[in-house]
Amino acid sequence: MRIAMLSTVNGYYGGEVHFLGLAEGLRSRGHEILCLVRRDGELQSRLLARDFEVHALPLFHWFDPIRIGHLNRLLRRRRIELLHTHLPRDYYIAAAATMGSKVANIGTRHQIFPISAPLFKRPFFRRFSAMIAVSEAVRSGLVGSRVLASSRVVTVHNGVTQGSDRSGVSEMAGPFRQACGAEADTPFIGFVGRLCPTKGLETLIQAAGLLVEDWPDLKLCVIGSEEGHADYLAYLQALVEELGLASTVRFLGYRHDAWAAAREFQVQVIASQAEPFGLVTLEAMAQECPVVVTDSGGSPEIVRDGVEGFLVRPGDVRQLSRRLDVLLDSASLCREMGRKGRLRVEKDFTLELMLDRTEAVYRRALERPAGRFRPSR
């Protein structure tokens, strides 16, 4: 298949990790991949480093007729069969740019909240053969928006390839422990993700404030940038000072190698109000790191409470601190949950499974016009 993949996002987080992994996997299966991305973004640099054909687009709105025309001609010239779009605002760019063509549109939805202004946006979604939801929770929000028939909304869970043997990690102080001033035997909890209010990081910091009473050497490693949420980062830093946790909490900012930090964490925490799916959760589990996640959104589709980690209520500081205390107090439980987490990833959340299911959506989209798409059961 000749596939174009579109994303105009500037940062590099879960959705962009998904984009890159999907592009690499599809290319390895013999498909021709054309990447349409934002100029000078990190996604562009990573794609170029892997020798993808990349067209950098100064495109941010569907109502830019000149640039939409350029994109339309590019798709025709390259005889693209399918355009896969990965960002909400890009759905409308894709719909406009494929008008009058035979290009099949597929979108991936990484957001859990419903589509806003659905009556206005419904005509754009008529151009889509299918929308892929990364979790059943995301699918529910998308179906509830009523912008396209529920039969055209298909759940395809994310998949990962990273994994490593954690043997020996506890006996050495790796780069993330060193960056946080943590010794090899220091209790070490981690967070990886965008620093924004929906991630619930204040809950984790408050939980750390309770934990230091019994674990005075505790270190909490926070990896991620605030990108447009500078006020939230300032609030978190003020909270750290207020709770007397300046020696406990370390903000490392954005790290290109963030996925590898779970090799050193004793526990990784996802305290979001509602995570759409949780690619960082899978990455941690693939490193045999136990996880504590909130029991909302897509996270319960990944983690079984008491098996690969623990589920906690969003915003419940005391419950989160109790679960973390249990894990910090039991190296054997951490090892067992970590082992089961890796096995779960290998069984249900591999990149190969994601590719198989995505290809199946592509094939059905090319077989049927957009209005007649029916997913397989």
Side-chain angles (χ1 to χ4, degrees):
M1 294 181 229
R2 291 184 294 277
I3 303 163
M5 297 179 61
L6 170 65
S7 175
T8 62
V9 75
N10 196 34
Y12 190 81
Y13 288 94
E16 294 69 61
V17 173
H18 171 92
F19 183 114
L20 183 59
L22 184 61
E24 289 189 301
L26 290 170
R27 183 174 64 176
S28 72
R29 294 186 173 200
H31 301 293
E32 181 181 328
I33 306 298
L34 172 65
C35 299
L36 310 169
V37 300
R38 186 166 177 168
R39 190 182 308 277
D40 299 327
E42 183 166 346
L43 181 57
Q44 180 192 22
S45 63
R46 288 183 181 245
L47 288 165
L48 289 172
R50 289 164 173 77
D51 296 321
F52 278 97
E53 180 180 357
V54 177
H55 282 254
L57 300 174
L59 250 180
F60 308 105
H61 302 292
W62 64 269
F63 49 82
D64 184 339
I66 294 177
R67 291 193 173 100
I68 288 291
H70 289 165
L71 179 55
N72 179 282
R73 289 189 290 275
L74 173 63
L75 296 174
R76 290 173 182 270
R77 185 170 66 251
R78 295 302 308 275
R79 297 168 57 212
I80 295 299
E81 299 173 89
L82 188 145
L83 176 59
H84 192 158
T85 308
H86 292 264
L87 192 70
R89 67 168 172 253
D90 296 344
Y91 304 154
Y92 318 113
I93 293 174
T98 56
M99 291 293 290
S101 76
K102 295 182 180 180
V103 177
N105 273 305
I106 301 293
T108 289
R109 182 76 173 168
H110 299 275
Q111 292 74 30
I112 200 164
F113 47 83
I115 300 287
S116 62
L119 288 177
F120 171 73
K121 295 173 179 176
R122 195 169 293 151
F124 293 92
F125 282 96
R126 291 197 186 109
R127 287 288 308 156
F128 280 77
S129 294
M131 289 293 295
I132 294 174
V134 296
S135 67
E136 288 296 325
V138 170
R139 184 181 188 276
S140 178
L142 190 53
V143 169
S145 300
R146 301 179 66 182
V147 293
L148 72 171
S150 61
S151 61
R152 285 193 276 154
V153 184
V154 186
T155 299
V156 177
H157 288 128
N158 287 330
V160 295
T161 57
Q162 291 104 331
S164 67
D165 183 358
R166 284 170 62 92
S167 61
V169 171
S170 60
E171 286 76 38
M172 60 180 290
F176 294 94
R177 282 183 172 268
Q178 292 175 15
C180 293
E183 301 294 334
D185 59 351
T186 300
F188 196 45
I189 296 171
F191 167 92
V192 177
R194 193 192 309 266
L195 305 189
C196 61
T198 60
K199 296 296 183 181
L201 190 51
E202 66 273 17
T203 303
L204 176 55
I205 291 173
Q206 291 167 342
L210 298 178
L211 286 168
V212 292
E213 296 178 12
D214 294 318
W215 305 93
D217 297 331
L218 175 71
K219 298 295 183 185
L220 170 56
C221 177
V222 178
I223 301 174
S225 67
E226 75 281 5
E227 281 192 21
H229 297 279
D231 290 346
Y232 182 64
L233 176 57
Y235 160 68
L236 294 176
Q237 292 170 331
L239 180 62
V240 167
E241 292 295 329
E242 177 186 337
L243 296 176
L245 298 175
S247 64
T248 300
V249 182
R250 300 296 174 89
F251 293 91
L252 297 190
Y254 180 80
R255 294 279 299 244
H256 288 74
D257 56 349
W259 68 270
R263 295 176 180 176
E264 300 175 36
F265 296 154
Q266 282 174 267
V267 189
Q268 184 162 309
V269 180
I270 297 87
S272 306
Q273 296 170 14
E275 194 70 23
F277 179 74
L279 196 55
V280 294
T281 303
L282 286 190
E283 290 173 340
M285 290 165 63
Q287 309 302 321
E288 296 191 12
C289 179
V291 293
V292 178
V293 303
T294 47
D295 62 356
S296 61
S299 293
E301 298 173 39
I302 306 171
V303 179
R304 295 169 293 184
D305 188 37
V307 181
E308 297 86 18
F310 289 120
L311 298 174
V312 297
R313 292 179 294 274
D316 193 327
V317 175
R318 292 194 176 278
Q319 186 186 28
L320 176 57
S321 67
R322 287 195 297 268
R323 293 292 184 263
L324 290 172
D325 182 63
V326 168
L327 287 167
L328 292 176
D329 197 43
S330 178
S332 62
L333 180 60
C334 285
R335 285 193 297 271
E336 181 65 10
M337 285 185 164
R339 184 186 67 82
K340 290 179 178 177
R342 183 169 183 175
L343 291 174
R344 180 150 171 80
V345 169
E346 292 173 350
K347 177 179 180 292
D348 297 321
F349 301 112
T350 64
L351 181 63
E352 291 304 308
L353 281 173
M354 184 183 81
L355 290 169
D356 289 343
R357 293 162 182 166
T358 302
E359 283 182 316
V361 174
Y362 288 174
R363 286 192 295 269
R364 294 193 297 276
L366 293 176
E367 290 169 0
R368 297 175 174 86
R372 293 172 47 212
F373 180 89
R374 294 293 184 273
S376 64
R377 295 296 181 182

